[in-house]
Amino acid sequence: MDDRRAVIVGVGEVLGNRDRDPDAAREPLELILEAVHAAAGDAGGGDALLRAVGDVSAVRTSSWAYDDAAALVARSIGAAAQHLEDTTVGGHWPTRLLERAAARIASGETEVALLVGGEAQASVTALAKAGRDPVAAAGWSAQPGGPPSFDPSELGTPRMLAGEIVLPARVYPMFQNALQADLGLAPSEGVHRSAALYARLTEVAAANPAAWNREVRTPDDIATVAPGNRMVVEPYPLAVNAMPHVDQAAAVLVTSVTAARAHGIREDRWVHVWGGAGATDTADVLERRAFHRSVALELALDRAMDRAGLTASDLELVDVYSCFPVVPELLMRHLGLPDDATPSATGGHAAFGGPLSSYSLHAIAATTRRLRHDASVAMVHANGGYLTEQHVTVLADRAHPDGYVGDPDPTPVDATDAPPVRDAADLLRQVDGPIDLRIETWTVEHGRDGQPARAYVIGRTSDGTRVAAATAPGDLAAAASLSLAALPSGDLTHIGRTVALTSLDAGPVIVP
C-alpha cells in the first residue's frame, strides 16, 4: 500500500566556533550541509536518501546572504528536487515549513523533504573584530550571495518606525509590561517569575549537546541586574534576551511512511507529523487588539489542538519559542500549564542560542529525540515578527488515526475591534498644544551605563485613539520618570498614567 503519512526520519545539528576564533570561521552554508549529512546519518539512509530528496525548504539565513539557499543545498547533495523554497525572515518558518512538507507528502506531491537553516553570526563578528573579510580571508561564498543587506522596513511599518516602536528587544518588553499589569504582578514578582522560567531552560540547555551555552543559572542570577547582566529594556535584563551571536545549523528529513520503508529506515527512528495550525496577526503592532495577550497565538494553539483532537493534558512535551519571556508565559497561560512547567526540549534562545529564524528547526530536532526516547505526544511552537506569525505543530511516536490532520495555511486574526490608530505627527497638527495620553503600555530602554535613556509609549487619547511616541533623545529625566524604579509606593505599573504628547523641533515626543 502507498502510505502517505509523514514521518520525521532524521535530524542533524551543528554547533560551530564556540570560541569565536576567526581562524575557525565557517560560513552558514557549510554548517547547514554538515547538518544535512548528520540528518541522513541519523536516519540511517546515507547518501541514497539525500539523492532521493525531491523537496528542499531553506529558512532565511540572516548572518550571510544566499540568493537561493534551497537550490544550493539540493545541488550539493545531488538531489534533483522539484520543490525549492526559500523563506523570508521569521521564527515561525520551521514549523510552518514542516507543516507544508507534511501536507505535500500526504497529497502525494512529494516523497522525501528536507528542511534546513543555519547562522554564523559568531564567526561574522569574530572576523569583523579581526579585520578580516569573510570572502577574501575565509573563502566564504560571494556569488550567489555575500554579506547581508539591511532594509529598515523589515523592522516594522512606517507608522511603527515613526513612533520608534521597533526592534524585538524594544517591542517584546511592551507586551511583557502589559501582561504583568493584567496579572497584577509587582515588577519584582514579574522579573522573578520570568527568571525562574529561564533558569529552568538553562537546565534543559545544559543537557543539549547542540546548545551554545550549557551553564546552569539560578533565578537570582538571572534576575539580578549587574555589570555582566545589565538592564537592556525594562523589565528584561540581558540574561533573558535572545542570544543571536551563535554559529548553529539544523536539518530535518521528512518522508512518507512508504519512502521510509523503501529506504530501510527503522521504525524506531520515525516521528509522526500529526499536523497543526497557524495564525497571522496584524503586521502593525499598533493595530493589535490588546497587548497583554496574543490573539494569533491563542488562535493557532486552539486550532492545532482541535485538529489533533487533544487537550493540554494530553501533551507530554511542549517546546515553545522563547526569544523573550512573554512568549512562553503567554503560551503557558493559554494552555493552563503550571507556573513551574518547563516548556522546552531545546533550552531557549538565551541559553541554547538564538540562531534567528532557524531556532525552531533545533526545537524540532530536540523534540524528535525526546519522542524516540521518553515521550509520546509533543507540541512545537514557533513565533515570528512581534508576536505576529504563529505556527504550532503536533508530533507523536505513533500515527494519528486520521493521518495528517494539519493545516499549513495560517488564519488571519480578526482585528476589526482594535482601536483606531493615528500617527502622532498628524494628530498634533490638528490641535494647538499638547495632547494628554493615557499609557496603554510602555517600556524604558537603558544605556550601556545602566541608566534609563529613553521611554517608548503606546497610549490612548481621550476619544480612544491609539498613538505611539518616545521621550526626546537625551531627555534622561523623562526616561527615568517612566522607569519601573520610579513607581510610587504601592503602584505596580505606569499603565493608566497620563503623559503629554507634544511637538518639539525633533518631532512628536512624550513628556511625563
Side-chain angles (χ1 to χ4, degrees):
M1 292 180 62
D2 183 13
D3 192 332
R4 296 179 179 176
R5 292 173 296 177
V7 288
I8 296 171
V9 296
V11 294
E13 295 180 272
V14 172
L15 175 67
N17 204 9
R18 180 64 182 78
D19 295 328
R20 298 180 173 87
D21 180 356
D23 291 330
R26 295 189 293 162
E27 68 173 288
L29 181 61
E30 184 178 344
L31 302 178
I32 288 169
L33 290 172
E34 183 179 335
V36 168
H37 287 285
D42 179 62
D47 290 344
L49 178 60
L50 294 182
R51 288 193 296 271
V53 168
D55 191 311
V56 180
S57 298
V59 177
R60 171 69 67 87
T61 294
S62 294
S63 54
W64 198 250
Y66 297 103
D67 295 342
D68 193 346
L72 288 172
V73 169
R75 187 159 56 248
S76 296
I77 62 176
Q82 300 302 304
H83 178 91
L84 298 170
E85 181 173 3
D86 289 84
T87 75
T88 56
V89 172
H92 62 291
W93 278 115
T95 49
R96 190 164 292 172
L97 291 175
L98 177 60
E99 200 81 51
R100 289 179 176 180
R104 288 192 293 272
I105 288 170
S107 70
E109 186 179 339
T110 192
E111 287 287 328
V112 182
L114 174 64
L115 316 179
V116 300
E119 297 289 350
Q121 190 59 53
S123 285
V124 169
T125 303
L127 288 168
K129 287 183 176 180
R132 301 186 194 177
D133 178 79
V135 177
W140 289 23
S141 303
Q143 291 295 331
S149 59
F150 172 70
D151 182 353
S153 68
E154 294 180 0
L155 294 176
T157 64
R159 189 158 49 197
M160 291 169 62
L161 290 164
E164 301 187 64
I165 309 301
V166 291
L167 301 175
R170 187 179 296 166
V171 177
Y172 279 93
M174 302 184 88
F175 287 106
Q176 185 79 49
N177 282 327
L179 174 62
Q180 290 181 183
D182 186 66
L183 293 173
L185 297 177
S188 60
E189 292 177 302
V191 167
H192 281 87
R193 171 187 166 108
S194 298
L197 169 60
Y198 272 53
R200 297 194 297 275
L201 295 182
T202 68
E203 295 177 7
V204 177
N208 188 340
W212 188 258
N213 188 347
R214 300 179 68 184
E215 175 191 1
V216 175
R217 302 182 70 173
T218 67
D220 284 345
D221 180 32
I222 291 172
T224 302
V225 175
N229 188 32
R230 66 183 181 86
M231 178 58 69
V232 181
V233 184
E234 296 183 11
Y236 290 157
L238 184 62
V240 298
N241 281 252
M243 169 51 69
H245 297 281
V246 297
D247 284 16
Q248 290 172 313
V252 178
L253 278 163
V254 192
T255 75
S256 66
V257 167
T258 296
R261 288 178 175 146
H263 285 276
I265 300 170
R266 303 194 318 265
E267 289 194 32
D268 64 3
R269 312 309 292 164
W270 301 0
V271 165
H272 292 262
V273 183
W274 282 14
T280 300
D281 214 326
T282 60
D284 193 330
V285 167
L286 299 174
E287 295 176 354
R288 300 292 170 85
R289 287 163 60 177
F291 298 110
H292 68 278
R293 58 186 291 213
S294 168
V295 179
L297 173 57
E298 296 166 8
L299 181 58
L301 289 169
D302 291 346
R303 291 182 65 232
M305 299 290 278
D306 181 65
R307 297 183 76 89
L310 297 172
T311 64
S313 62
D314 297 318
L315 297 171
E316 296 177 51
L317 175 64
V318 175
D319 192 292
V320 59
Y321 201 86
S322 52
C323 52
F324 298 96
V326 69
V327 183
E329 289 177 25
L330 285 171
L331 180 142
M332 292 167 67
R333 184 185 190 190
H334 189 68
L335 287 182
L337 301 182
D339 287 346
D340 61 354
T342 306
S344 182
T346 315
H349 290 65
F352 173 84
L356 300 170
S357 301
S358 61
Y359 172 84
S360 290
L361 277 178
H362 296 275
I364 293 167
T367 301
T368 293
R369 291 192 292 269
R370 285 287 305 276
L371 287 167
R372 288 170 174 172
H373 178 63
D374 63 358
S376 296
V377 181
M379 170 188 286
V380 179
H381 159 260
N383 160 81
Y386 303 115
L387 283 168
T388 309
E389 300 281 357
Q390 305 293 320
H391 207 98
V392 177
T393 298
V394 177
L395 308 175
D397 65 351
R398 60 190 182 278
H400 191 280
D402 298 323
Y404 172 70
V405 295
D407 181 359
D409 298 319
T411 295
V413 167
D414 180 1
T416 55
D417 59 350
V421 183
R422 291 284 301 276
D423 179 84
D426 289 343
L427 193 60
L428 285 167
R429 279 192 286 267
Q430 307 300 314
V431 300
D432 182 19
I435 299 171
D436 284 346
L437 291 184
R438 177 178 52 82
I439 295 177
E440 188 173 6
T441 192
W442 94 108
T443 192
V444 174
E445 195 166 69
H446 286 230
R448 289 194 171 272
D449 62 358
Q451 299 305 307
R454 291 191 78 188
Y456 301 88
V457 172
I458 298 175
R460 300 279 196 100
T461 63
S462 59
D463 66 359
T465 299
R466 185 180 280 161
V467 182
T471 55
D475 190 349
L476 305 186
S481 72
L482 288 170
S483 172
L484 289 168
L487 284 169
S489 178
D491 286 0
L492 304 181
T493 180
H494 286 296
I495 291 176
R497 173 181 171 180
T498 298
V499 294
L501 174 68
T502 191
S503 184
L504 298 179
D505 291 342
V509 296
I510 294 294
V511 179

